[in-house]
Amino acid sequence: SPSTRRLLMTRIAAIFASCLAGCTSPLSSSGSQPSLNDIRWLTGCWETASGTREIWRRSDDEQSLIGEGQSPRADGSVFKERLSITEDKTGLTYTAQPGNSSPTVFRQINTAEQSVVFANPSHDYPQKIAYQLSGSELTASISDMADSKVNNWVFTACQNEN
């Protein structure tokens, strides 16, 4: 009957829409939206051999990760940036505020067991920011969307946190 056919088509459309939304939504390994707990491996003090540091901690209200980046410059000064990762119902958001510039927001596009990727295709550069923990090394990468212009930093746990 036409009403049965309509009901069947409605159900098929709902299933298709549900699959489409699920296939494009970033999912954590648990099958739900990524949370700050999925990236807790990022917390702590990380440094490169050249002295660049990123320090990540959980905010007092447990609603975000707060980070600070510090990179020594050739002239002896230190470049600093404020970082944060927040969680909402659609996933994770990474905000970077280098120096005294305006904050730039990147949305999480992929999360795996010990990696996370954020993107903002409308930003000039970087358009993607990624972190991956492998053993005791944390690799941070920035790139354009096509990964044709990539910069990597390899961090290990800080020897002292001063």
Side-chain angles (χ1 to χ4, degrees), residues 17-33:
S18 174
C19 176
L20 186 60
C23 296
T24 59
S25 295
L27 298 176
S28 69
S29 55
S30 65
S32 60
Q33 289 298 330

Side-chain angles (χ1 to χ4, degrees), residues 84 86 88 92-98 102-108 118-123 126-129:
S84 68
T86 56
D88 64 26
L92 302 172
T93 300
Y94 181 102
T95 304
Q97 187 172 6
S102 298
T104 302
V105 174
F106 298 81
R107 292 294 303 170
Q108 171 268 327
F118 301 92
N120 179 340
S122 64
H123 190 249
Q127 293 176 316
K128 287 197 315 190
I129 298 173

Side-chain angles (χ1 to χ4, degrees), residues 10-162:
T10 302
R11 286 185 180 166
I12 290 172
I15 291 169
F16 178 74
S18 174
C19 176
L20 186 60
C23 296
T24 59
S25 295
L27 298 176
S28 69
S29 55
S30 65
S32 60
Q33 289 298 330
S35 72
L36 291 174
N37 284 332
D38 293 324
I39 59 167
R40 63 185 171 273
W41 46 265
L42 187 58
T43 59
C45 179
W46 300 93
E47 66 184 340
T48 67
S50 63
T52 295
R53 281 187 170 198
E54 282 197 12
I55 302 166
W56 289 95
R57 64 174 179 80
R58 201 76 187 240
S59 64
D60 292 340
D61 65 3
E62 300 280 317
Q63 299 302 308
S64 62
L65 291 181
I66 305 297
E68 179 181 340
Q70 306 168 354
S71 298
R73 293 181 171 160
D75 66 5
S77 64
V78 176
F79 170 80
K80 293 184 178 185
E81 67 180 327
R82 287 178 285 199
L83 309 166
S84 68
I85 300 173
T86 56
E87 175 185 341
D88 64 26
K89 64 183 177 191
T90 63
L92 302 172
T93 300
Y94 181 102
T95 304
Q97 187 172 6
N100 294 320
S101 64
S102 298
T104 302
V105 174
F106 298 81
R107 292 294 303 170
Q108 171 268 327
I109 60 168
N110 189 17
T111 304
E113 189 173 329
Q114 293 190 312
S115 68
V116 62
V117 181
F118 301 92
N120 179 340
S122 64
H123 190 249
D124 56 356
Y125 186 85
Q127 293 176 316
K128 287 197 315 190
I129 298 173
Y131 290 93
Q132 181 168 0
L133 183 63
S134 180
S136 62
E137 291 185 340
L138 175 70
T139 301
S141 304
I142 59 172
S143 67
D144 57 2
M145 289 305 291
D147 292 327
S148 61
K149 183 179 177 187
V150 180
N151 288 301
N152 294 313
W153 291 264
V154 178
F155 294 87
T156 56
C158 296
Q159 295 304 307
N160 75 50
E161 295 189 30
N162 294 332

